[in-house]
Amino acid sequence: MCGIVGAVAQRNIVSVLVEGLRRLEYRGYDSCGVAVLSHGEPRRARSVSRVSDLDAQVRDTHLEGFTGIAHTRWATHGAPVTHNAHPIFSRDAVALVHNGIIENYESLREMLRGKGYEFVSQTDTEVIAHLIHSMYRGDLFQTVREAVKQLHGAYAIAVIHKDQPHTVVGARQGSPLVVGVGQGENFLASDALALAGSTDRFAFLEEGDVVEITLDGVKIVDGEGVPAQREVRVVAAYGGAVELGPYRHFMQKEIFEQPRAITDTIPQGDHFDASLFGEGAADVFSGIDSLLILACGTSYYSGLTAKYWLESVAKIPTQVEIASEYRYRESVPNPKALVVVISQSGETADTLAALKHAQSLGHKHTLAVCNVATSAMVRLTELAFLTHAGTEIGVASTKAFTTQLVGLFVLAVTLGKLRGHVDATQEAAYLAQLRHLPAALNSVLALEPQIIAWAEEFARKENALFLGRGLHYPISLEGALKLKEISYIHAEAYPAGELKHGPLALVTEAMPVVTVAPNDALLEKLKSNMQEVRARGGELYVFADADTRIVSEDGIHVIRMPEHYGLLSPILHTVPLQLLAYHTACARGTDVDKPRNLAKSVTVE
Ligand code: F6R
């Protein structure tokens, strides 16, 4: 999704801006650009190719300046063509970059056309640039404060004016923006990761904030226009984490990092304790009667998996909703429910809006299961469980998902204990299982060569069905999502028992049917469902636990999972599905880490 970098320094900052964009590349974009103030004039370079192409352009044209802004754009309004790429100029005086969507841009455009402004792009962003130009009376900070009052929608912006050579002004509402604090130089970015290498000191702006950065100062006012201080925090973990190492893609690296990520996420100590979720969690947990989980995409599937754990281990009613649906439907709030948001980034616009919606309905108790400690979601919720996946670069979520599952399992056991459904023996057994998980995962990763052989077959298909039952149904959903998003093969997942109610009509010899077959209570039922597929000529590709007695035969291909892993089995069964999607995508030659049309952090609605 779109990314912003801005800088004011006493050195040429073009390389800092371009490096910042490079660090944001993983989020997905279709054009990019940079603008600097050079000898009192804004100059820019823009590209509909990669940041490396932009870099070549700025070198060729000797683009240099001490003050500048840069952007990666993920098109919403207007095609990804050069004239829509940011920075957007207004009358060669204002240069502006924008993340988000301005909902009232049409009425603003008419108003500005009436004032003689000519529009050269199809973006909603251009209205902001012209609006600021039209209102400018010598003080950019003041102008932006006034101008943003006229914007409806979500935005993070960074803007420069030719008359203020050492100033960048930013504002945020609904899209993230951070200030990077340096020595005699200051920065803005949509994600602190962009500024790794330039600073490790960050102030996270809040909704409605407008900020001015100069060489030696940072001035912030809040949405009410009141001067505000935002705590400057040292965030050291950003550097270096984005190296690919020996892997072919970040997705592959991140799949193989899962044993480490899970080890880091499993709590230390001998007990599942409410304090793992933050101060006051014990009180909150003892007063709740249900859970409402809100999330999107892969994170939604971790919520669906957690529902099985929460209802079976903690015996607490749990509802899981797609965040973008929840926020727009009339629901019946239950103040005794704990609202749980699950998110890798902690900045997903739909999940954030759903959280705020829940809060506005009177939900007091909120918990974030999140991978980014400094994210908006963690800051907005009462409690938090941080996953320690580390930076996830591949657009397709892998280690973020399995570490979320670990966090949610810890939540289920913790609540089960507090509610008297988990005794000390069970607690010790769950902890032992968690601790053994990384080793079990390594055995699953060792199946890669067998999965590569299957991927060669899958690469020639255009459709696939995924089947799972019970606790593993959400895992089949996740497997289908992984396959479709990176290989572009149409894939759907069904609870296996549902097959005969419609989707069986799709099954022919041409349809591969991936089956998640753990050795659990539903195994015999699942075997019957597999026979239904086989009887219609469907080719089964089965990930079967040891002891399932499912064997390879005509039309049934089996990869044997090392061991059955009880309640934590969904975590193990996720990994071969990730590898299958990954190697199928490689065999088809897609852009695995940056699949078409997708973005890593979805900060627009
Ligand atoms: C799929 C994927 C997405 C995200 C979704 C939510 O592989 O990564 O479906 O899971 O966009 O993102 P977060 O977890 O950052 O809220």
Side-chain angles (χ1 to χ4, degrees):
M1 200 115 300
C2 304
I4 288 177
V5 193
V8 184
Q10 282 167 309
R11 57 182 169 130
N12 176 21
I13 38 70
V14 171
S15 60
V16 170
L17 296 172
V18 172
E19 177 56 23
L21 295 186
R22 222 190 292 279
R23 287 175 181 276
L24 294 177
E25 272 194 297
Y26 76 95
R27 298 166 65 118
Y29 67 105
D30 38 44
S31 58
C32 51
V34 55
V36 288
L37 292 176
S38 177
H39 306 292
E41 297 298 326
R43 282 182 61 207
R44 72 183 158 190
R46 296 184 287 180
S47 168
V48 287
S49 179
R50 304 272 103 189
V51 172
S52 52
D53 174 68
L54 183 72
D55 193 22
Q57 272 193 54
V58 299
R59 286 170 199 277
D60 290 351
T61 57
H62 303 289
L63 190 76
E64 290 181 357
F66 291 4
T67 299
I69 53 178
H71 193 254
T72 46
R73 174 172 187 257
W74 187 77
T76 57
H77 293 63
V81 292
T82 307
H83 65 262
N84 287 334
H86 303 200
I88 297 283
F89 280 8
S90 178
R91 296 192 178 168
D92 286 336
V94 168
L96 179 134
V97 292
H98 163 224
N99 291 357
I101 291 174
I102 302 304
E103 286 163 6
N104 60 333
Y105 79 100
E106 280 166 327
S107 56
L108 287 171
R109 191 170 53 193
E110 286 323 299
M111 182 272 283
L112 288 158
R113 274 194 178 129
K115 291 187 173 186
Y117 284 91
E118 191 194 338
F119 283 79
V120 294
S121 79
Q122 285 79 49
T123 64
D124 51 339
T125 302
E126 195 171 358
V127 297
I128 320 175
H130 291 323
L131 186 66
I132 290 171
H133 184 276
S134 71
M135 296 172 73
Y136 184 76
R137 301 286 178 274
D139 182 342
L140 187 59
F141 185 50
Q142 185 56 32
T143 306
V144 172
R145 288 169 62 183
E146 292 301 320
V148 294
K149 289 183 192 155
Q150 297 194 37
L151 305 180
H152 300 167
Y155 55 81
I157 59 170
V159 53
I160 51 179
H161 194 289
K162 74 179 176 66
D163 293 346
Q164 292 189 234
H166 304 294
T167 304
V168 177
V169 175
R172 73 156 287 191
Q173 181 69 49
S175 291
L177 196 64
V178 302
V179 178
V181 181
Q183 299 272 332
E185 54 188 25
N186 288 303
F187 310 92
L188 280 181
S190 50
D191 184 332
L193 176 69
L195 301 174
S198 296
T199 183
D200 60 359
R201 298 171 65 224
F202 297 98
F204 294 84
L205 296 180
E206 299 199 353
E207 294 290 48
D209 281 357
V210 181
V211 61
E212 177 189 76
I213 59 165
T214 51
L215 287 172
D216 49 11
V218 175
K219 199 160 69 181
I220 301 171
V221 292
D222 67 15
E224 307 297 315
V226 178
Q229 297 289 330
R230 302 289 172 229
E231 184 193 348
V232 177
R233 302 188 217 169
V234 175
V235 183
Y238 287 106
V242 290
E243 307 308 326
L244 186 55
Y247 295 95
R248 194 168 154 200
H249 296 100
F250 281 105
M251 182 175 176
Q252 188 188 27
K253 174 180 182 238
E254 287 155 9
I255 291 172
F256 278 84
E257 274 175 354
Q258 289 176 109
R260 192 277 308 148
I262 283 176
T263 305
D264 292 352
T265 302
I266 296 169
Q268 309 281 312
D270 297 333
H271 298 285
F272 292 81
D273 196 273
S275 61
L276 295 167
F277 298 85
E279 221 175 291
D283 286 344
V284 172
F285 288 173
S286 60
I288 58 168
D289 67 0
S290 58
L291 272 83
L292 168 61
I293 298 181
L294 304 170
C296 301
T298 287
S299 297
Y300 169 69
Y301 297 149
S302 72
L304 285 183
T305 315
K307 176 182 167 77
Y308 288 83
W309 288 332
L310 286 156
E311 297 205 340
S312 68
V313 177
K315 316 260 179 262
I316 186 159
T318 302
Q319 194 185 333
V320 192
E321 290 218 30
I322 293 177
S324 57
E325 287 295 310
Y326 169 76
R327 60 181 289 201
Y328 289 119
R329 75 177 183 86
E330 276 186 38
S331 55
V332 183
N334 169 12
K336 292 188 87 179
L338 174 68
V339 175
V340 181
V341 284
I342 308 171
S343 176
Q344 187 285 122
S345 60
E347 301 288 352
T348 300
D350 286 322
T351 312
L352 258 181
L355 169 64
K356 290 179 193 165
H357 178 64
Q359 286 170 328
S360 75
L361 294 179
H363 283 285
K364 281 199 307 290
H365 300 308
T366 54
L367 163 72
V369 175
C370 187
N371 196 37
V372 182
T374 50
S375 64
M377 257 176 248
V378 172
R379 283 180 280 132
L380 274 177
T381 46
E382 186 181 22
L383 304 173
F385 182 95
L386 293 178
T387 53
H388 294 281
T391 308
E392 196 178 61
I393 301 290
V395 162
S397 185
T398 52
K399 59 179 180 168
F401 178 66
T402 47
T403 52
Q404 284 168 355
L405 290 178
V406 168
L408 291 162
F409 183 76
V410 173
L411 178 65
V413 180
T414 307
L415 288 173
K417 218 177 114 180
L418 284 171
R419 295 164 65 85
H421 300 297
V422 172
D423 63 21
T425 315
Q426 282 166 316
E427 181 184 13
Y430 287 140
L431 202 56
Q433 261 194 314
L434 266 181
R435 298 233 188 280
H436 181 56
L437 194 53
L441 277 172
N442 277 321
S443 317
V444 177
L445 289 167
L447 299 172
E448 190 181 33
Q450 295 175 59
I451 296 170
I452 292 174
W454 281 12
E456 308 284 321
E457 300 285 320
F458 272 71
R460 291 193 285 274
K461 307 284 182 186
E462 286 310 324
N463 298 287
L465 271 182
F466 283 67
L467 301 181
R469 290 201 77 140
L471 194 50
H472 294 78
Y473 165 53
I475 301 310
S476 63
L477 284 166
E478 171 61 1
L481 177 63
K482 285 294 89 101
L483 187 69
K484 71 184 121 189
E485 70 178 325
I486 58 167
S487 75
Y488 314 149
I489 292 173
H490 170 236
E492 288 190 64
Y494 279 92
E498 187 66 8
L499 207 56
K500 55 189 175 295
H501 298 293
L504 203 52
L506 293 172
V507 173
T508 64
E509 301 76 30
M511 177 67 85
V513 181
V514 180
T515 309
V516 183
N519 187 16
D520 65 9
L522 288 166
L523 178 64
E524 292 312 317
K525 303 273 175 216
L526 182 74
K527 282 183 177 172
S528 307
N529 303 139
M530 286 166 54
Q531 288 312 320
E532 291 161 13
V533 171
R534 217 26 232 133
R536 273 95 192 158
E539 291 268 310
L540 286 155
Y541 292 82
V542 191
F543 291 101
D545 281 357
D547 304 332
T548 51
R549 291 203 296 277
I550 300 173
V551 288
S552 294
E553 54 184 84
D554 187 32
I556 306 185
H557 315 267
V558 179
I559 289 182
R560 196 150 305 285
M561 297 286 285
E563 57 188 308
H564 179 58
Y565 216 73
L567 278 182
L568 289 170
S569 166
I571 300 181
L572 283 199
H573 269 278
T574 299
V575 175
L577 302 185
Q578 295 169 341
L579 285 169
L580 180 63
Y582 170 72
H583 286 292
T584 304
C586 288
R588 285 168 74 100
T590 60
D591 192 351
V592 173
D593 284 333
K594 300 186 198 85
R596 71 181 176 211
N597 306 339
L598 298 182
K600 182 67 189 163
S601 191
V602 188
T603 49
V604 293
E605 199 185 327

